[in-house]
Amino acid sequence: MNLAYRDIRHNLGRFLLTCLGLGLLLGVVLAMIGIYRGLVVDALTIARAPAVDLWVVEANTRGPFAEASRIPGDTREAIARIADVTAAGSLTYQTVETEHQGGKLRLYVIGHELTRPGGPPEIIEGREIARSHYEMVADRSSGLTLGKRIRLGRNTFTVVGLTRHQVNSGSDPAVYITLADAQKLQFDLAPAAARVQRARGASGANLDTVNAVVARLHPNASRDATATTIRRWKHLAALTQDEQEVILSRSLVDRARRQIGLFTSLLLIVSAVIIALIIYTMTMEKLKPIATLKLIGAPDRTIVGMIVQQALALGLIGFAIGAALIVGVKEHFPRRVVLEPDNVAALGVVVIAVCLLASALGVRAALKIDPATALGG
Amino acid sequence: MRVEGVSKHFGEGETRVDALRDVSLDVFPGEVVALLGPSGSGKTTLLNVIGCILDPSAGTMELDGERVLHDGQWQRGDLRRLRLDKIGFIFQAHNLLPFLDAIDNVTVIQQLAGTDAGTARKRASQLLDDLEVGHRKHAMPAKLSGGEAQRVAIARALANSPRIILADEPTAALDSKRAGIVMDLLRKLAIARDAAVITVTHDEKIFDRFDRIFELRDGRL
């Protein structure tokens, strides 16, 4: 006869409510873990999208994401001529805020050369950009749909394709336009400002500037060796893909990552304390029946088994509720929530460990009960 | 059951309290005896020592022909097993496990002793029928009347065919009619099962139901 199950069945409503409460708490922990992972994944997404080996940026900078970087537009041709480079492309990155459906819409605009590295990694709806000007591919999280026309700077662009999961480290959805349009958007001055510049005698700014050049190498080529070769040009810096990812995950989002990590740890500690208190309280409510069991001769393992099984049932049911809840609602979070099976499994193991530790408190209390208390007097 | 020279004291020096002083008594199979005495006289302490749940300071005890206590030292390490097999307990407040129905309360103690579930359940059902609460075997303790709950508690106490039944104020919560019925039932069962019954009570209305009455005063019998 399973005493743990019988006791749970006797107080089923209260037990399930307790599981629900614990499930909500564990759901919040899972959500924080998912947000934490999502932050890192978001930060790396844009850098991984071009699927390149090298990033060439302005000398003494760690651009184009962590620091501003401006290099001449013809750098791409010089990079493309280096041995072992199989393809190179120029890129610009900038954040733009525009109007959409009566509200503000922040977009991360990526300018790229058609047919060269740096374009959208996949098209899930519509087509790639086919014209030189005023077409865009947008991430679907922007809310933009095919055929939608949207104003960027002084020009209106038409959405011709949709991609997915392309956001920057701030979770702003990416839109891809041609390099020429992006350079105009980023560097072209408004007419009034241009007139002021001409009146001051300043020459017009050189539009042929990009933020980075990306390069793919021959599969057998050394990334480090090629990067070293590029660094010999004093006006350029070269980062391998791995270095770029380290900058993004360790530097750009480091504080946010640590803050969320710390908050997640605190939530885990709070959850552990709450689980321990629930199990301890559940045990304390059963002191009289436990004393009776001890008096009539039940061995300690029967009593310990009852408490531990209830603790595990509470933890596992609560965890299942929390996991189901977060899996069900994670798509509705404003930021991406990434829940990998290994993260979920790890939290499951932590919950089981916490339940076992927490039940130790209850077990200790139960084993200390004097069976004579069942007799009274 | 034979108790010889059992003493129990709590504390030492100026704070020493002698709860039992050189207590000796024999109780025989089929016999129903009462332990009387004012509060603090040592009744519950003696019951706890006989029930193997309190270590005495001195004395010897035999149970069913086995010496379980010698010179104040338990002779067995598994006192819980001894209680499970040879001692039945009946409580003033019946102390049924609240999360088990009547039949499972009687079944569980048999399963703890190693009886298989089917046999234990069959025997539990028979016991409840014998005690005329078979019709309430699926009722939870909270739904049982005082008399019904006490009968289920008696069935539980008898489930492992103990050699001695210790009853702590078993009729305190019952009216005189039901108290008489319970005591007659205990006597009948004690004779039928060749078990001894030791009852701690203050209940004057059942004094005539006992074979012998022992009175404790200041720890002396």
Side-chain angles (χ1 to χ4, degrees):
Chain A
M1 189 182 302
N2 188 311
L3 297 179
Y5 167 68
R6 295 303 183 93
D7 186 37
I8 288 172
R9 199 176 66 172
H10 180 59
N11 294 302
L12 188 62
R14 199 176 62 167
F15 181 79
L16 288 179
L17 273 177
T18 308
C19 286
L20 181 65
L22 184 61
L24 291 173
L25 184 64
L26 292 175
V28 173
V29 176
L30 266 175
M32 291 309 295
I33 292 172
I35 291 168
Y36 174 90
R37 292 288 296 231
L39 189 73
V40 176
V41 170
D42 279 354
L44 296 175
T45 296
I46 292 294
R48 285 178 176 167
V52 295
D53 300 301
L54 284 179
W55 291 76
V56 181
V57 296
E58 186 178 342
N60 304 317
T61 72
R62 300 196 304 164
F65 307 109
E67 293 181 80
S69 159
R70 293 176 68 166
I71 55 178
D74 58 6
T75 304
R76 193 256 302 152
E77 290 163 23
I79 298 299
R81 282 196 293 272
I82 295 174
D84 292 333
V85 172
T86 57
S90 298
L91 292 169
T92 64
Y93 297 96
Q94 70 182 117
T95 302
V96 169
E97 196 164 274
T98 186
E99 297 279 340
H100 175 57
Q101 293 180 338
K104 295 287 182 191
L105 178 63
R106 281 177 65 83
L107 296 170
Y108 192 58
V109 179
I110 301 171
H112 68 292
E113 296 177 283
L114 304 181
T115 74
R116 297 192 192 282
E122 65 170 333
I123 301 291
I124 58 165
E125 208 178 331
R127 60 169 173 81
E128 292 185 351
I129 294 171
R131 291 170 55 193
S132 305
H133 293 291
Y134 313 132
E135 286 190 345
M136 70 159 62
V137 170
D139 186 82
R140 68 175 175 183
S141 67
S142 65
L144 297 173
T145 52
L146 289 182
K148 195 82 182 170
R149 291 168 63 78
I150 191 153
R151 192 162 182 84
L152 295 181
R154 286 183 288 136
N155 297 303
T156 301
F157 290 76
T158 304
V159 178
V160 296
L162 294 177
T163 186
R164 63 181 166 187
H165 301 323
Q166 298 304 304
V167 294
N168 71 356
S169 59
S171 220
D172 298 325
V175 293
Y176 292 82
I177 60 177
T178 62
L179 181 67
D181 285 345
Q183 285 173 321
K184 215 169 166 56
L185 178 68
Q186 190 171 151
F187 305 118
D188 204 5
L189 293 172
R195 281 196 298 276
V196 170
Q197 289 298 319
R198 279 197 297 275
R200 290 176 63 230
S203 60
N206 181 13
L207 276 185
D208 192 16
T209 302
V210 297
N211 298 128
V213 169
V214 291
R216 286 186 192 138
L217 303 184
H218 190 278
N220 297 325
S222 162
R223 289 177 173 183
D224 291 328
T226 310
T228 305
T229 301
I230 295 170
R231 285 181 201 123
R232 289 198 189 105
W233 294 332
K234 301 298 182 191
H235 65 296
L236 295 176
L239 304 165
T240 64
Q241 178 67 23
D242 294 339
E243 289 169 337
Q244 186 67 273
E245 290 188 10
V246 168
I247 289 170
L248 282 163
S249 59
R250 297 288 170 206
S251 173
L252 194 63
V253 294
D254 187 53
R255 278 193 186 164
R257 197 173 62 95
R258 277 192 291 159
Q259 181 130 338
I260 293 174
L262 184 65
F263 190 58
T264 307
S265 305
L266 284 174
L267 267 178
L268 266 176
I269 292 168
V270 170
S271 305
V273 171
I274 289 175
I275 291 172
L277 280 174
I278 291 171
I279 292 166
Y280 185 70
T281 307
M282 281 167 64
T283 306
M284 295 309 281
E285 286 172 351
K286 286 195 289 284
L287 286 189
K288 189 90 174 180
I290 288 171
T292 304
L293 276 169
K294 289 172 87 168
L295 182 66
I296 64 177
D300 282 343
R301 66 172 182 279
T302 301
I303 293 157
V304 171
M306 181 169 73
I307 296 167
V308 171
Q309 285 169 28
Q310 288 189 343
L312 286 176
L314 179 75
L316 290 174
I317 294 172
F319 177 71
I321 291 172
L325 184 75
I326 292 308
V327 167
V329 302
K330 74 186 176 88
E331 296 303 326
H332 302 289
F333 276 63
R335 284 199 71 119
R336 194 178 340 180
V337 177
V338 177
L339 278 179
E340 302 288 351
D342 60 332
N343 299 140
V344 179
L347 182 63
V349 170
V350 169
V351 169
I352 289 171
V354 166
C355 285
L356 289 174
L357 279 173
S359 65
L361 273 177
V363 165
R364 185 168 169 269
L367 294 183
K368 279 174 68 179
I369 298 168
D370 183 357
T373 56
L375 280 172
Chain B
M1 186 217 65
R2 169 169 292 160
V3 170
E4 282 182 11
V6 165
S7 299
K8 174 66 184 175
H9 62 82
F10 299 99
E12 292 294 341
E14 289 183 1
T15 60
R16 176 173 167 135
V17 176
D18 288 301
L20 294 176
R21 300 169 200 242
D22 197 22
V23 172
S24 299
L25 80 155
D26 293 327
V27 187
F28 300 100
E31 197 175 24
V32 181
V33 303
L35 280 177
L36 305 185
S39 290
S41 60
K43 303 186 300 293
T44 303
T45 304
L46 181 57
L47 204 67
N48 287 349
V49 171
I50 296 171
C52 307
I53 50 179
L54 183 66
D55 298 337
S57 307
T60 301
M61 187 167 83
E62 280 181 24
L63 184 57
D64 195 25
E66 179 188 353
R67 177 159 291 198
V68 294
L69 179 73
H70 183 72
D71 282 346
Q73 298 295 317
W74 295 111
Q75 301 299 297
R76 285 177 58 154
D78 56 343
L79 291 175
R80 285 200 203 178
R81 184 75 216 185
L82 180 71
R83 291 202 293 270
L84 198 53
D85 292 337
K86 300 212 168 166
I87 304 173
F89 291 91
I90 301 170
F91 310 89
Q92 180 178 345
H94 60 72
N95 282 30
L96 295 175
L97 298 175
F99 47 86
L100 298 181
D101 62 16
I103 192 166
D104 282 342
N105 260 287
V106 186
T107 303
V108 70
I109 191 168
Q110 297 174 72
Q111 287 190 264
L112 288 171
T115 309
D116 68 84
T119 308
R121 203 167 173 82
K122 197 170 166 185
R123 180 172 162 73
S125 186
Q126 184 61 52
L127 275 167
L128 291 173
D129 286 340
D130 290 348
L131 289 158
E132 298 176 3
V133 278
H135 63 294
R136 301 287 282 151
K137 63 185 174 187
H138 295 305
M140 299 304 284
K143 302 286 183 189
L144 295 171
S145 68
E148 288 172 339
Q150 200 57 292
R151 284 165 188 241
V152 175
I154 292 170
R156 180 177 66 183
L158 296 169
N160 284 337
S161 301
R163 301 296 292 138
I164 184 165
I165 296 167
L166 302 177
D168 184 26
E169 305 272 9
T171 58
L174 304 177
D175 58 37
S176 39
K177 185 184 168 194
R178 288 188 186 281
I181 291 170
V182 165
M183 287 314 300
D184 289 344
L185 195 58
L186 273 177
R187 167 176 294 285
K188 190 176 141 194
L189 293 168
I191 294 167
R193 292 163 192 278
D194 215 18
V197 179
I198 301 176
T199 305
V200 167
T201 186
H202 286 103
D203 195 350
E204 291 181 9
K205 58 186 179 282
I206 57 168
F207 282 180
D208 58 343
R209 275 11 197 232
F210 297 107
D211 297 316
R212 286 186 290 161
I213 294 176
F214 297 95
E215 186 169 8
L216 272 160
R217 279 193 186 276
D218 299 327
R220 291 185 196 282
L221 199 63

